[in-house]
Amino acid sequence: VDDPAAIALAAKLAAQAMAEEKRSKTAHDRDGNSGILGGSATLGLPGGVGSPSLNNVNKPAMAANGPKPPPKHVGEVMNGNKTGVELDKNGNRIISHKAVQREIWLHHGQIKMKRLVKIFDMKKKNQDQRKLFREIIKELCTLETTQEGNILMLKQHYANM
């Protein structure tokens, strides 16, 4: 075939075929149908987007199971895990010198006071816990007041872990 138009058309069709082979399957096109009209989602077959079998899948299961269960490691100190987070019997974080230092260090040596209080779930009712938290903060950090709020900065000799 010497016709340049026929050669160009053949090359275009070959390129389209190769592109279609390389195209990754989407969630709606896993059955191998072409993208424009194919796929179970557009045909209304079971398992498609509008399928009644997939609507509200989690709602009955959540209602049957009841409330969310407590964390797995409640009641034990999680010393050997990857995160190093220590929890008490109620599932709250244990306030210790090392835990507070690690948390601030993980935030690049500085953290907003409000954020640290939320992380350790400090409540006004537990005055002993708040007193311990304040003493640890005073030892570990210096307080800088900025327009963004109070920022705790690790002191230099506590900045290395």
Side-chain angles (χ1 to χ4, degrees):
V1 177
D2 293 330
D3 186 22
I7 294 173
L9 181 62
K12 184 177 177 182
L13 290 174
Q16 286 178 348
M18 288 178 63
E20 213 170 297
E21 287 177 16
K22 290 181 181 179
R23 186 184 71 178
S24 65
K25 304 291 184 209
T26 63
H28 301 294
D29 193 26
R30 291 181 190 252
D31 56 358
N33 295 325
S34 63
I36 297 174
L37 294 176
S40 60
T42 56
L43 296 176
L45 297 175
V49 173
S51 171
S53 63
L54 292 179
N55 291 342
N56 302 325
V57 171
N58 292 330
K59 287 183 182 178
M62 289 185 335
N65 293 338
K68 181 180 172 185
K72 284 184 178 179
H73 301 287
V74 169
E76 65 182 73
V77 178
M78 298 171 27
N79 290 328
N81 69 0
K82 293 179 183 176
T83 60
V85 176
E86 299 173 343
L87 301 176
D88 64 3
K89 62 182 178 181
N90 298 326
N92 297 327
R93 293 181 89 162
I94 293 177
I95 300 171
S96 67
H97 185 275
K98 187 168 182 87
V100 174
Q101 179 184 6
R102 183 185 309 115
E103 194 61 45
I104 298 170
W105 181 80
L106 287 172
H107 285 85
H108 305 289
Q110 62 184 15
I111 189 171
K112 289 184 181 179
M113 179 72 159
K114 190 173 184 177
R115 173 80 177 129
L116 191 64
V117 167
K118 283 183 180 179
I119 289 172
F120 283 94
D121 196 29
M122 300 300 303
K123 304 286 185 195
K124 289 186 179 181
K125 294 179 182 177
N126 194 345
Q127 291 299 323
D128 296 333
Q129 190 180 29
R130 288 178 64 86
K131 184 178 179 183
L132 174 65
F133 187 70
R134 280 193 210 120
E135 289 174 3
I136 292 172
I137 294 296
K138 286 179 184 177
E139 182 181 343
L140 288 174
C141 305
T142 56
L143 180 69
E144 291 186 13
T145 306
T146 63
Q147 291 177 343
E148 298 172 0
N150 296 333
I151 297 179
L152 296 169
M153 306 273 295
L154 272 178
K155 292 181 180 174
Q156 185 175 4
H157 52 281
Y158 291 115
N160 297 327
M161 294 273 313

